[in-house]
Structures are given as C-alpha cells and as structure tokens.
Amino acid sequence: MPGRLEGKVAVITGAASGIGRETARRFAEEGAKVVVADLADEPGKQAAEEVGGLYVRANVTDPDDVRRMYGEASEHFGGIDVLFNNAGISPPDDGSILETEMEAWDRVQNVNLRSVYLCCKHGIPHLLERGGGSVVNTASFVAVMGAATSQISYTASKGGVLAMSRELGVQFARQGVRVNALCPGPVNTPLLQELFAKDPERAARRLVHLPMGRFAEAVEIANAALFLASDESSYMTASTFLVDGGLSGAYVTPE
Ligand code: NAD
C-alpha cells in the first residue's frame, strides 16, 4: 500500500528535536522525502540520517538562510510539496509583561512569528510551482485561550501565527495551496517530565485542566501534522486545528 505522503517532499523546521523530529519520522514512514532544517547540527544530522532525508542548517529568522534552505531542498529532491513551519522557542525570560524585557520579546517574536512569515514568503512559491501543496504552521493552544502563568511574547507570537495562517489559507485557496494552523496542547517533553517528577503537586495543578488527565505525546501531534500535510485533509484550509486533549473545551474551577 502506498504511504499517505508517497512521492511528496516535506521541509520541516525545528526537526532536530521534539515534535519536529517525531514528525520527520512519521512523514518518512508514510513515504515522504524529508528535509530536516535546524540550527542544532548534531541532532539534526542524526534525525536526517534516521529518516533517509537531507539535513539543512538554517536559522529560520534569517531571510537568506530560509531562501537557501528551500533552494537546497528543491534542488536535492526536485521540488517541494509540504512546509511544516514548526521551529519555536519558549525561553524562561519571556514571562509576565511586567518583567519581560524588549530583547526577550523580540527574540521570541523573531523565532516564532517572523520565521513563519519568512518560511511562507519563500516556501509558498515552491508549492505554487508544483501546482499546489500543504503548509502547516505550528501555533499553540495559547493562540485561542489565555494562560494565567503568562509567557507574553510567546502567546502573542502564536496568535500571530494563527491569524497569518488563516489569511494565507484564504489567499491561496484557489491555487491549490492549503494553509492550516496546528495548535497543540502541552506536550510531554523531557523538561516537563523532570519538572513534574520533582513537584507532583505542581503537576496535579496543571493536569486538572486537561480532560484527558495527561499531556500529549509528541507522536500525537506528529500524526495531526501528517493529516494536515496529506491529501486526506484536502478540504481543509485556513483552519485552527486544535490537538489539545480537550483543554480548550474545559471549564475548570479551583478545588
Ligand atoms: P523543541 O525545543 O523540542 O524543538 C524545537 C527545535 O527548533 C529545536 O531543534 C531547535 O534547535 C529548533 N530551533 C530553535 N530556534 C531555531 C532557529 N532560529 N532556526 C532553526 N531552528 C530553530 O520544541 P517542541 O516542543 O518540539 O516545539 C515545536 C513547536 O511546537 C514550537 O513551535 C512550539 O512552540 C510548539 N508547541 C509546543 C508545545 C509543547 O508543549 N512542547 C505546545 C504547543 C506548541
């Protein structure tokens, strides 16, 4: 049976780690040719090797890097069908608006929002050349609901990704390019596990908001990216695709 992404070429940013890495695996399992783009060379090369793909070092905040990244991808594999614009950061110095300095604000905006602008600006022309394709931009559940423990620049950047994706989805709908925003809930990462092993009460305070009572596994987000990247989602564009274990549907009161 052919894979769900058979014959497609996908460029995944931030594919050296976490959700991006897991998605590179799933895409490759389903027949895609994968370009692993990241700044972290060692894990990036490993990830590319694991999936039989191409590693491209690129800083997604830099227009020259982004142009070169798609140029190399297209030259190597003969074209591009899928953009998964996934690279993002949430550093500790981005917190309450009262404490977050402009340097941290700008850094987060650049990596999380400017990068998506650049990747769409320089990536979509490659998709148009093929007669269409799918763009999946990673936003977050915080693009649709507020968090009391604020990461103000992160939240604003993801709101920007969501709004930009919607508008691009509308703009390119008749040219065969679909653009959707993937909005994950909190994911079970090594950092999170360490934090919660140390402080079970803190874990419980957060888990009470999740109807499923657990965080997502990276592969569960990767499977959603796979659906949006593949032709199975052919009637979806400009959507807010929440994969959050019911978090945004919950009304929780303190105990
Ligand atoms: P991660 O830290 O595991 O991986 C992010 C990758 O992006 C890293 O490999 C890093 O090297 C790369 N990267 C960072 N800055 C870059 C740059 N300037 N240029 C190129 N690559 C760069 O993160 P993750 O948890 O897998 O998150 C992936 C995406 O999902 C992010 O956009 C994040 O905001 C979003 N997200 C994550 C969660 C979660 O709970 N983990 C929840 C919602 C949304």
Side-chain angles (χ1 to χ4, degrees):
M1 230 177 63
R4 294 155 71 191
L5 290 180
E6 205 64 53
K8 301 214 197 259
V9 178
V11 180
I12 305 176
T13 67
S17 168
I19 295 168
R21 186 160 187 157
E22 203 57 49
T23 306
R25 282 194 197 108
R26 287 296 292 121
F27 279 17
E29 279 168 12
E30 295 293 341
K33 297 184 177 96
V34 176
V35 177
V36 170
D38 213 296
L39 275 178
D41 289 336
E42 270 325 298
K45 284 178 192 160
Q46 275 170 21
E49 199 176 317
E50 198 186 318
V51 302
L54 174 72
Y55 174 67
V56 176
R57 181 191 170 80
N59 181 346
V60 289
T61 67
D62 180 64
D64 293 336
D65 269 22
V66 171
R67 263 194 300 262
R68 180 182 47 77
M69 167 178 89
Y70 290 127
E72 283 181 26
S74 175
E75 199 165 302
H76 191 83
F77 287 124
I80 304 171
D81 306 283
V82 174
L83 315 179
F84 183 30
N85 299 321
N86 158 81
I89 54 170
S90 56
D93 54 353
D94 173 26
S96 157
I97 197 163
L98 302 177
E99 279 133 32
T100 302
E101 300 299 341
M102 269 181 42
E103 190 280 323
W105 169 272
D106 286 342
R107 185 168 9 102
V108 171
Q109 292 295 315
N110 284 340
V111 179
N112 291 7
L113 182 56
R114 176 197 233 233
S115 68
V116 177
Y117 153 74
L118 288 174
C119 287
C120 289
K121 183 176 179 63
H122 298 301
I124 288 176
H126 287 273
L127 271 46
L128 290 170
E129 242 174 66
R130 295 271 250 205
S134 173
V135 180
V136 182
N137 294 326
T138 305
S140 163
F141 70 99
V142 299
V144 300
M145 62 192 296
T149 46
S150 188
Q151 295 180 286
I152 197 63
S153 185
Y154 182 88
T155 298
S157 73
K158 295 302 189 179
V161 169
L162 178 61
M164 179 164 43
S165 305
R166 192 187 293 131
E167 187 146 309
L168 293 175
V170 171
Q171 182 183 348
F172 292 102
R174 293 184 187 216
Q175 290 166 274
V177 174
R178 300 183 296 108
V179 185
N180 291 290
L182 175 58
C183 299
V187 180
N188 191 9
T189 56
L191 200 77
L192 208 72
Q193 283 164 8
E194 193 188 322
L195 198 76
F196 286 180
K198 276 195 218 134
D199 192 346
E201 254 179 55
R202 194 168 170 184
R205 270 205 308 278
R206 281 165 173 74
L207 287 170
V208 77
H209 293 276
L210 282 157
M212 287 193 184
R214 66 172 179 87
F215 296 117
E217 296 301 325
V219 69
E220 294 178 298
I221 309 303
N223 282 332
L226 170 63
F227 170 69
L228 291 175
S230 79
D231 294 338
E232 288 167 16
S233 57
S234 55
Y235 199 55
M236 288 187 62
T237 198
S239 83
T240 303
F241 199 76
L242 278 154
V243 185
D244 67 352
L247 174 62
S248 56
Y251 173 71
V252 181
T253 48
E255 298 207 357

